[in-house]
Each structure stands twice: as structure tokens, then as C-alpha cells.
Amino acid sequence: MSGPTHPNRPGPPRQAVEPGPVLPRQGIIARYRDWLPVPPEAEPLTLGEGDTPLIRADRLLEELPRDRRPPAVFLKFEGANPTGSFKDRGMTMALTCARARGAQAVICASTGNTAAAAAAYAARAGMDCWLVLPAGGVAAGKVGQAVACGARILPVRGSFDDALAAVRQVVAERPELVLVNSLNPDRLEGQKTAAFEVVDQLAAIGLDERAAVFLPVGNGGNITAYHMGFRAYAAAGRLGRVPRLYGVQAEGAAPLVRGRPVDRPQTLASAIRIGRPVYGEKALAAVRDTGGRVLAVSDEEILAAQRLLARLEGVFAEPASAASVAGLLKLARGDEPGWEVPEGPVVCVLTGHGLKDVDTALRAARASGGEGGDLEALEALEARALDPEAVVQHLLATPAGGR
Ligand code: F0G
């Protein structure tokens, strides 16, 4: 390991880091234009997406069995994107290219994050936006974003898979509606920039061993995009060995792990409640090509991982995102033969912000008794609110300590 000191770099010595220039978050197209198929005349339509933090997670690392720990764990926090998920990387590309080709309207099916991103970028472009969403299957935060941005919403009975089938039928007959699901190749091109960032960020802190990247998988588009990104960097000599890719699905929606489609996918991680992934084959190829694996985690494991992330690292990610961490924890437990722990640094991709789906987090906290989180106190606030003076007295009398 060599390279400059950085607060995120594992191990001593830690010295002060020279302050760097403050650069604006210029968006992934401006930053990686040479790597992206953007029409030369196109002006980027951006909200300043990308450039998300890679957060070192030492307290999470300590949760792994001592003899099965990778050298370091990092969190690639995609919740820090403008609409709160990685979808912004793909949407800046899709809408920039669509606008350059003169499009007036976009459409997609979505479990919520694609919808929120499409609505935001379409608003900025002055385009119409149609969203076909599985009724009852989208977290409130995401619907709220889409509504606020003026998108038109059509709830459909069934799952995401049914919604996508309906949208594909529509765009086959109405080509003027631009499809902005990940079937749109511009989407994956944009999303591959997250892989560039992971490589660049690890290199910047002197980590150049072969990494392993854990990702939640729904439709399989994102893991395919990471694979494209790593392969492109490797081909250009910017990366020694392509990281191992680990795709994590929810047990009730795990067609890639089971090897067959799931008709009624079920999981509380609504973002990845998908039974017929469009990029299933490509996702499996990405995993095989890089020596990773696919695995499934239960909803309980997802909620436990979400909680650990927030408690230990202060990072609040939505349930689907926590699946990546749940996958790492499961692998590290070594429950099944042949489950080797990756040899290099591990990056868990946290695809969406916890604020997208506060209801699930609150329900989980309630179900666990709200232990340590003062949830009961919060809920009783209205019933037994205290005078400010009583709050001061209470806090002055409460000892503080590490946890
Ligand atoms: N994580 C989050 C937070 C997501 O919203 C999604 C997909 C995924 C992971 C999985 O990515 O589908 O490329 O394998 N959300 C889509 C949507 C389906 O409509 O927002 P994938």
C-alpha cells in the first residue's frame, strides 16, 4: 500500500491532509465526457450528480468475524446524489441525449428511484414525464419526489415486471415517448461512471489491490453498468484487475440465485422487488467474469444491516441498499462451503438514501422495541412533552459515554 495520506485510508500514519481546491460537483458528463457516448453538440442536463463519497467503515468491519475480515470495508454512498439514488447518473445521460435528439416526453416503469430521477431531470428539461408504478409497491418518499416534480403517474396492478411490460408495449407503438428505463443504453453508460469513481477513489488513498464490490440487484442493470465501467478502465490501463462483483438479491425476489423467474416477487426492499430481471443474463455474466457470486439475503438480514449501518457508521441507506451490506455480513459468516472472503478491500454500494423510505425504518425500529434509539420517547412526544427547563435538567443529569 502506498500513496498519500487521507482520512479514509486504513492504518497509520495519519497526518494532516493538505486542503485541495474546492471544485464544484460538475456532474458525470462534464467529468467523464471522453468515456461517454454523448453527442458532441449536446449540452449536459445535470443536477451535479456523481462524485459521491467513499466512506471507510471501520466500525462495521469490526462486526465481521475476526478471522474472516477483508482488509478494509468502504461504503459508496450513492444516496448522496441529487435525487437520493444512483439513478441520477443514468438519468443525466438519458435526458441529455434525448434532449439533443429533440425528444419532448419520457416514460418509465419503476420501483420508485428511477421514477424520482426521471421526474427531476424531465422537469429540468421541460419535458413531459410518464411514470408507470406498481400500485402499493413504491416507498412514499419516491412518489413524493415524482409528484413534486410534476410527473404524471399511472399506478398498475401487479409488480414492477408488469409495469415494465406495459411500458415496453407503449413505446413500441409510440416511439416519440422516450423510454428511460435501464433498457435505454444511455442509462447504463451513465451508471458505469460509479465504477470509475470507485477505482479513482481507492487509488487516491493508495489502495490498488483487487477490490470486491457488493451491489443490490433488481433488474440487473446497475451491476452490468459497473462491469462495463471496470472493463473500460481496465482496457485503458487504469486498473490492474477488475474487482470481483457480488450481486445481492432479496430472498423473496431472487430469480438470479434461484435460476428461474419469480412470479410474485416479495420483499420489504421494494426497490429490488423484481422477478424477471431484464439484465439477468448480463448480471450473471458480470459476476462470473469477475470471480464474484450472487447471493440472497432475508428481509430480516436486510433490516439488521440497515440498522447496523446507521448505528455504527451514521449512514442511513434504504433497505435495498442495505442488502449489499447484508450480503457481505452473510459471506463473512461463512455459512456455506466455498464462501471465501474477498482478499482485497470491499466496497458496498449503497444505492439509495434512507430518507426515501422512512416508514420501513420506523416500522423496523418499532418491531425491535426501539431499543437504544429513544423511539418510544419520540412517539410519546405529543403526549408528554416537557417544558424546556425540564429538558435542560434531564440532560444535565444524564451521563455521557461512548457506545
Ligand atoms: N438499489 C436501489 C435503491 C434501486 O432503486 C434499484 C433499482 C436497485 C438497487 C437495483 O438496480 O435494477 O439496476 O439491478 N431500482 C429500479 C427503479 C428498478 O425503478 O428505481 P438494478
PDB file of all heavy atoms in Angstrom, residues 21 30 89 92 115 121 152 155 157 165 198 205 231 257 261 272 294 326 331 339 359 364 392-393:
ATOM      1  N   PRO A  21      -8.184  22.124  -3.817  1.00  0.00           N
ATOM      2  CA  PRO A  21      -9.077  23.167  -4.343  1.00  0.00           C
ATOM      3  C   PRO A  21     -10.525  22.705  -4.208  1.00  0.00           C
ATOM      4  O   PRO A  21     -10.813  21.517  -4.283  1.00  0.00           O
ATOM      5  CB  PRO A  21      -8.685  23.250  -5.818  1.00  0.00           C
ATOM      6  CG  PRO A  21      -8.031  21.947  -6.129  1.00  0.00           C
ATOM      7  CD  PRO A  21      -7.443  21.426  -4.854  1.00  0.00           C
ATOM      8  N   ALA A  30     -19.692  16.151 -17.619  1.00  0.00           N
ATOM      9  CA  ALA A  30     -18.540  17.052 -17.719  1.00  0.00           C
ATOM     10  C   ALA A  30     -17.272  16.326 -17.266  1.00  0.00           C
ATOM     11  O   ALA A  30     -16.198  16.495 -17.842  1.00  0.00           O
ATOM     12  CB  ALA A  30     -18.774  18.293 -16.872  1.00  0.00           C
ATOM     13  N   ARG A  89     -27.149   9.212 -12.195  1.00  0.00           N
ATOM     14  CA  ARG A  89     -26.037   9.051 -13.152  1.00  0.00           C
ATOM     15  C   ARG A  89     -26.553   8.636 -14.526  1.00  0.00           C
ATOM     16  O   ARG A  89     -26.044   9.091 -15.557  1.00  0.00           O
ATOM     17  CB  ARG A  89     -25.072   7.949 -12.671  1.00  0.00           C
ATOM     18  CG  ARG A  89     -24.383   8.251 -11.384  1.00  0.00           C
ATOM     19  CD  ARG A  89     -23.482   7.071 -11.008  1.00  0.00           C
ATOM     20  NE  ARG A  89     -22.870   7.289  -9.717  1.00  0.00           N
ATOM     21  CZ  ARG A  89     -21.732   7.938  -9.524  1.00  0.00           C
ATOM     22  NH1 ARG A  89     -21.058   8.402 -10.549  1.00  0.00           N
ATOM     23  NH2 ARG A  89     -21.252   8.102  -8.307  1.00  0.00           N
ATOM     24  N   THR A  92     -29.047  11.637 -16.102  1.00  0.00           N
ATOM     25  CA  THR A  92     -28.411  12.795 -16.736  1.00  0.00           C
ATOM     26  C   THR A  92     -28.005  12.435 -18.169  1.00  0.00           C
ATOM     27  O   THR A  92     -28.165  13.229 -19.106  1.00  0.00           O
ATOM     28  CB  THR A  92     -27.208  13.334 -15.927  1.00  0.00           C
ATOM     29  OG1 THR A  92     -26.673  14.483 -16.587  1.00  0.00           O
ATOM     30  CG2 THR A  92     -26.102  12.312 -15.775  1.00  0.00           C
ATOM     31  N   ALA A 115     -38.145   6.527 -11.160  1.00  0.00           N
ATOM     32  CA  ALA A 115     -39.249   7.475 -11.334  1.00  0.00           C
ATOM     33  C   ALA A 115     -38.865   8.848 -10.799  1.00  0.00           C
ATOM     34  O   ALA A 115     -39.060   9.875 -11.467  1.00  0.00           O
ATOM     35  CB  ALA A 115     -40.493   6.953 -10.615  1.00  0.00           C
ATOM     36  N   TYR A 121     -35.179  15.148 -13.739  1.00  0.00           N
ATOM     37  CA  TYR A 121     -34.421  15.574 -14.921  1.00  0.00           C
ATOM     38  C   TYR A 121     -35.361  16.027 -16.036  1.00  0.00           C
ATOM     39  O   TYR A 121     -35.038  16.938 -16.798  1.00  0.00           O
ATOM     40  CB  TYR A 121     -33.448  14.476 -15.371  1.00  0.00           C
ATOM     41  CG  TYR A 121     -32.242  14.386 -14.462  1.00  0.00           C
ATOM     42  CD1 TYR A 121     -32.310  13.692 -13.253  1.00  0.00           C
ATOM     43  CD2 TYR A 121     -31.048  15.036 -14.765  1.00  0.00           C
ATOM     44  CE1 TYR A 121     -31.225  13.630 -12.389  1.00  0.00           C
ATOM     45  CE2 TYR A 121     -29.944  14.969 -13.906  1.00  0.00           C
ATOM     46  CZ  TYR A 121     -30.047  14.266 -12.724  1.00  0.00           C
ATOM     47  OH  TYR A 121     -28.974  14.220 -11.871  1.00  0.00           O
ATOM     48  N   ARG A 152     -46.510  12.611 -14.371  1.00  0.00           N
ATOM     49  CA  ARG A 152     -47.843  12.011 -14.407  1.00  0.00           C
ATOM     50  C   ARG A 152     -47.726  10.532 -14.069  1.00  0.00           C
ATOM     51  O   ARG A 152     -46.926   9.809 -14.686  1.00  0.00           O
ATOM     52  CB  ARG A 152     -48.479  12.233 -15.771  1.00  0.00           C
ATOM     53  CG  ARG A 152     -48.979  13.688 -15.858  1.00  0.00           C
ATOM     54  CD  ARG A 152     -49.675  13.950 -17.134  1.00  0.00           C
ATOM     55  NE  ARG A 152     -48.735  14.562 -18.059  1.00  0.00           N
ATOM     56  CZ  ARG A 152     -49.077  14.939 -19.292  1.00  0.00           C
ATOM     57  NH1 ARG A 152     -50.287  14.727 -19.745  1.00  0.00           N
ATOM     58  NH2 ARG A 152     -48.203  15.528 -20.068  1.00  0.00           N
ATOM     59  N   PRO A 155     -50.661   4.216 -11.719  1.00  0.00           N
ATOM     60  CA  PRO A 155     -50.422   3.014 -10.906  1.00  0.00           C
ATOM     61  C   PRO A 155     -50.950   1.784 -11.640  1.00  0.00           C
ATOM     62  O   PRO A 155     -52.004   1.852 -12.270  1.00  0.00           O
ATOM     63  CB  PRO A 155     -51.235   3.277  -9.626  1.00  0.00           C
ATOM     64  CG  PRO A 155     -52.092   4.454  -9.897  1.00  0.00           C
ATOM     65  CD  PRO A 155     -51.804   5.015 -11.243  1.00  0.00           C
ATOM     66  N   ARG A 157     -51.785  -2.475 -11.473  1.00  0.00           N
ATOM     67  CA  ARG A 157     -51.937  -3.646 -10.602  1.00  0.00           C
ATOM     68  C   ARG A 157     -50.860  -4.649 -10.982  1.00  0.00           C
ATOM     69  O   ARG A 157     -50.694  -4.949 -12.160  1.00  0.00           O
ATOM     70  CB  ARG A 157     -53.326  -4.259 -10.788  1.00  0.00           C
ATOM     71  CG  ARG A 157     -54.069  -4.413  -9.472  1.00  0.00           C
ATOM     72  CD  ARG A 157     -55.478  -4.867  -9.675  1.00  0.00           C
ATOM     73  NE  ARG A 157     -56.270  -3.723 -10.104  1.00  0.00           N
ATOM     74  CZ  ARG A 157     -57.283  -3.765 -10.970  1.00  0.00           C
ATOM     75  NH1 ARG A 157     -57.635  -4.855 -11.514  1.00  0.00           N
ATOM     76  NH2 ARG A 157     -57.948  -2.688 -11.297  1.00  0.00           N
ATOM     77  N   ALA A 165     -43.545  -4.335 -18.584  1.00  0.00           N
ATOM     78  CA  ALA A 165     -44.116  -4.960 -19.786  1.00  0.00           C
ATOM     79  C   ALA A 165     -45.097  -3.991 -20.449  1.00  0.00           C
ATOM     80  O   ALA A 165     -45.103  -3.830 -21.681  1.00  0.00           O
ATOM     81  CB  ALA A 165     -44.806  -6.272 -19.421  1.00  0.00           C
ATOM     82  N   VAL A 198     -15.119   4.603  -8.068  1.00  0.00           N
ATOM     83  CA  VAL A 198     -14.615   3.663  -7.061  1.00  0.00           C
ATOM     84  C   VAL A 198     -13.119   3.424  -7.285  1.00  0.00           C
ATOM     85  O   VAL A 198     -12.310   3.491  -6.346  1.00  0.00           O
ATOM     86  CB  VAL A 198     -15.405   2.323  -7.108  1.00  0.00           C
ATOM     87  CG1 VAL A 198     -14.688   1.244  -6.311  1.00  0.00           C
ATOM     88  CG2 VAL A 198     -16.828   2.524  -6.580  1.00  0.00           C
ATOM     89  N   ILE A 205      -6.351   6.955  -2.335  1.00  0.00           N
ATOM     90  CA  ILE A 205      -5.903   6.702  -0.965  1.00  0.00           C
ATOM     91  C   ILE A 205      -4.920   5.531  -0.926  1.00  0.00           C
ATOM     92  O   ILE A 205      -4.688   4.929   0.120  1.00  0.00           O
ATOM     93  CB  ILE A 205      -7.091   6.462  -0.003  1.00  0.00           C
ATOM     94  CG1 ILE A 205      -8.011   5.367  -0.523  1.00  0.00           C
ATOM     95  CG2 ILE A 205      -7.864   7.763   0.219  1.00  0.00           C
ATOM     96  CD1 ILE A 205      -9.096   4.982   0.469  1.00  0.00           C
ATOM     97  N   ARG A 231     -14.430  -2.744 -16.812  1.00  0.00           N
ATOM     98  CA  ARG A 231     -13.805  -3.301 -18.027  1.00  0.00           C
ATOM     99  C   ARG A 231     -13.201  -2.168 -18.875  1.00  0.00           C
ATOM    100  O   ARG A 231     -12.102  -2.308 -19.410  1.00  0.00           O
ATOM    101  CB  ARG A 231     -14.826  -4.083 -18.849  1.00  0.00           C
ATOM    102  CG  ARG A 231     -15.043  -5.475 -18.356  1.00  0.00           C
ATOM    103  CD  ARG A 231     -14.174  -6.481 -19.166  1.00  0.00           C
ATOM    104  NE  ARG A 231     -13.966  -7.700 -18.393  1.00  0.00           N
ATOM    105  CZ  ARG A 231     -12.790  -8.104 -17.919  1.00  0.00           C
ATOM    106  NH1 ARG A 231     -11.692  -7.429 -18.135  1.00  0.00           N
ATOM    107  NH2 ARG A 231     -12.687  -9.213 -17.216  1.00  0.00           N
ATOM    108  N   VAL A 257     -30.476 -16.024  -8.165  1.00  0.00           N
ATOM    109  CA  VAL A 257     -29.936 -17.032  -7.245  1.00  0.00           C
ATOM    110  C   VAL A 257     -30.679 -18.354  -7.464  1.00  0.00           C
ATOM    111  O   VAL A 257     -30.069 -19.426  -7.470  1.00  0.00           O
ATOM    112  CB  VAL A 257     -30.068 -16.554  -5.783  1.00  0.00           C
ATOM    113  CG1 VAL A 257     -29.521 -17.590  -4.812  1.00  0.00           C
ATOM    114  CG2 VAL A 257     -29.355 -15.214  -5.607  1.00  0.00           C
ATOM    115  N   PRO A 261     -37.370 -17.294 -13.084  1.00  0.00           N
ATOM    116  CA  PRO A 261     -38.133 -16.094 -12.756  1.00  0.00           C
ATOM    117  C   PRO A 261     -39.016 -16.305 -11.537  1.00  0.00           C
ATOM    118  O   PRO A 261     -39.374 -17.441 -11.212  1.00  0.00           O
ATOM    119  CB  PRO A 261     -39.005 -15.869 -13.993  1.00  0.00           C
ATOM    120  CG  PRO A 261     -38.451 -16.724 -15.062  1.00  0.00           C
ATOM    121  CD  PRO A 261     -37.697 -17.834 -14.410  1.00  0.00           C
ATOM    122  N   ILE A 272     -35.991  -3.390  -5.038  1.00  0.00           N
ATOM    123  CA  ILE A 272     -35.477  -4.563  -5.777  1.00  0.00           C
ATOM    124  C   ILE A 272     -36.503  -5.695  -5.795  1.00  0.00           C
ATOM    125  O   ILE A 272     -36.151  -6.863  -5.887  1.00  0.00           O
ATOM    126  CB  ILE A 272     -34.110  -5.044  -5.218  1.00  0.00           C
ATOM    127  CG1 ILE A 272     -34.160  -5.242  -3.701  1.00  0.00           C
ATOM    128  CG2 ILE A 272     -33.017  -4.052  -5.593  1.00  0.00           C
ATOM    129  CD1 ILE A 272     -32.895  -5.899  -3.129  1.00  0.00           C
ATOM    130  N   VAL A 294     -23.509 -14.492  -6.874  1.00  0.00           N
ATOM    131  CA  VAL A 294     -24.787 -13.914  -6.477  1.00  0.00           C
ATOM    132  C   VAL A 294     -25.220 -14.591  -5.195  1.00  0.00           C
ATOM    133  O   VAL A 294     -24.938 -15.767  -4.982  1.00  0.00           O
ATOM    134  CB  VAL A 294     -25.901 -14.071  -7.556  1.00  0.00           C
ATOM    135  CG1 VAL A 294     -25.688 -13.115  -8.697  1.00  0.00           C
ATOM    136  CG2 VAL A 294     -26.014 -15.501  -8.049  1.00  0.00           C
ATOM    137  N   ALA A 326     -25.772  -6.572   3.907  1.00  0.00           N
ATOM    138  CA  ALA A 326     -26.269  -7.855   4.412  1.00  0.00           C
ATOM    139  C   ALA A 326     -25.561  -9.005   3.693  1.00  0.00           C
ATOM    140  O   ALA A 326     -25.235 -10.030   4.304  1.00  0.00           O
ATOM    141  CB  ALA A 326     -27.781  -7.948   4.213  1.00  0.00           C
ATOM    142  N   LEU A 331     -21.700 -13.469   3.838  1.00  0.00           N
ATOM    143  CA  LEU A 331     -20.500 -14.132   3.309  1.00  0.00           C
ATOM    144  C   LEU A 331     -19.441 -14.288   4.397  1.00  0.00           C
ATOM    145  O   LEU A 331     -18.794 -15.329   4.520  1.00  0.00           O
ATOM    146  CB  LEU A 331     -19.950 -13.285   2.163  1.00  0.00           C
ATOM    147  CG  LEU A 331     -19.013 -13.993   1.210  1.00  0.00           C
ATOM    148  CD1 LEU A 331     -19.825 -14.782   0.197  1.00  0.00           C
ATOM    149  CD2 LEU A 331     -18.149 -12.991   0.466  1.00  0.00           C
ATOM    150  N   TRP A 339     -17.514 -20.284   0.604  1.00  0.00           N
ATOM    151  CA  TRP A 339     -17.755 -18.840   0.693  1.00  0.00           C
ATOM    152  C   TRP A 339     -16.510 -18.140   1.214  1.00  0.00           C
ATOM    153  O   TRP A 339     -16.409 -17.831   2.397  1.00  0.00           O
ATOM    154  CB  TRP A 339     -18.941 -18.557   1.618  1.00  0.00           C
ATOM    155  CG  TRP A 339     -20.250 -18.791   0.948  1.00  0.00           C
ATOM    156  CD1 TRP A 339     -20.504 -19.686  -0.038  1.00  0.00           C
ATOM    157  CD2 TRP A 339     -21.481 -18.126   1.220  1.00  0.00           C
ATOM    158  NE1 TRP A 339     -21.820 -19.624  -0.400  1.00  0.00           N
ATOM    159  CE2 TRP A 339     -22.443 -18.676   0.357  1.00  0.00           C
ATOM    160  CE3 TRP A 339     -21.861 -17.123   2.100  1.00  0.00           C
ATOM    161  CZ2 TRP A 339     -23.771 -18.252   0.360  1.00  0.00           C
ATOM    162  CZ3 TRP A 339     -23.178 -16.712   2.104  1.00  0.00           C
ATOM    163  CH2 TRP A 339     -24.124 -17.264   1.234  1.00  0.00           C
ATOM    164  N   ASP A 359     -40.732   5.059   6.376  1.00  0.00           N
ATOM    165  CA  ASP A 359     -41.738   4.192   7.007  1.00  0.00           C
ATOM    166  C   ASP A 359     -41.163   2.830   7.380  1.00  0.00           C
ATOM    167  O   ASP A 359     -41.405   2.316   8.474  1.00  0.00           O
ATOM    168  CB  ASP A 359     -42.926   3.973   6.055  1.00  0.00           C
ATOM    169  CG  ASP A 359     -43.707   5.262   5.854  1.00  0.00           C
ATOM    170  OD1 ASP A 359     -43.482   6.208   6.635  1.00  0.00           O
ATOM    171  OD2 ASP A 359     -44.518   5.323   4.915  1.00  0.00           O
ATOM    172  N   ALA A 364     -39.444  -0.998  11.420  1.00  0.00           N
ATOM    173  CA  ALA A 364     -38.434  -1.936  11.905  1.00  0.00           C
ATOM    174  C   ALA A 364     -37.987  -1.557  13.313  1.00  0.00           C
ATOM    175  O   ALA A 364     -37.807  -2.420  14.178  1.00  0.00           O
ATOM    176  CB  ALA A 364     -37.237  -1.961  10.954  1.00  0.00           C
ATOM    177  N   VAL A 392     -33.673  20.601  30.001  1.00  0.00           N
ATOM    178  CA  VAL A 392     -32.323  21.004  30.417  1.00  0.00           C
ATOM    179  C   VAL A 392     -31.923  20.220  31.664  1.00  0.00           C
ATOM    180  O   VAL A 392     -30.832  19.627  31.728  1.00  0.00           O
ATOM    181  CB  VAL A 392     -32.268  22.524  30.685  1.00  0.00           C
ATOM    182  CG1 VAL A 392     -30.944  22.909  31.331  1.00  0.00           C
ATOM    183  CG2 VAL A 392     -32.480  23.293  29.381  1.00  0.00           C
ATOM    184  N   GLN A 393     -32.796  20.146  32.652  1.00  0.00           N
ATOM    185  CA  GLN A 393     -32.481  19.443  33.905  1.00  0.00           C
ATOM    186  C   GLN A 393     -32.192  17.974  33.625  1.00  0.00           C
ATOM    187  O   GLN A 393     -31.238  17.398  34.141  1.00  0.00           O
ATOM    188  CB  GLN A 393     -33.650  19.575  34.906  1.00  0.00           C
ATOM    189  CG  GLN A 393     -33.852  20.981  35.446  1.00  0.00           C
ATOM    190  CD  GLN A 393     -32.556  21.613  35.957  1.00  0.00           C
ATOM    191  OE1 GLN A 393     -31.693  20.940  36.534  1.00  0.00           O
ATOM    192  NE2 GLN A 393     -32.394  22.904  35.710  1.00  0.00           N
TER     193      GLN A 393
END
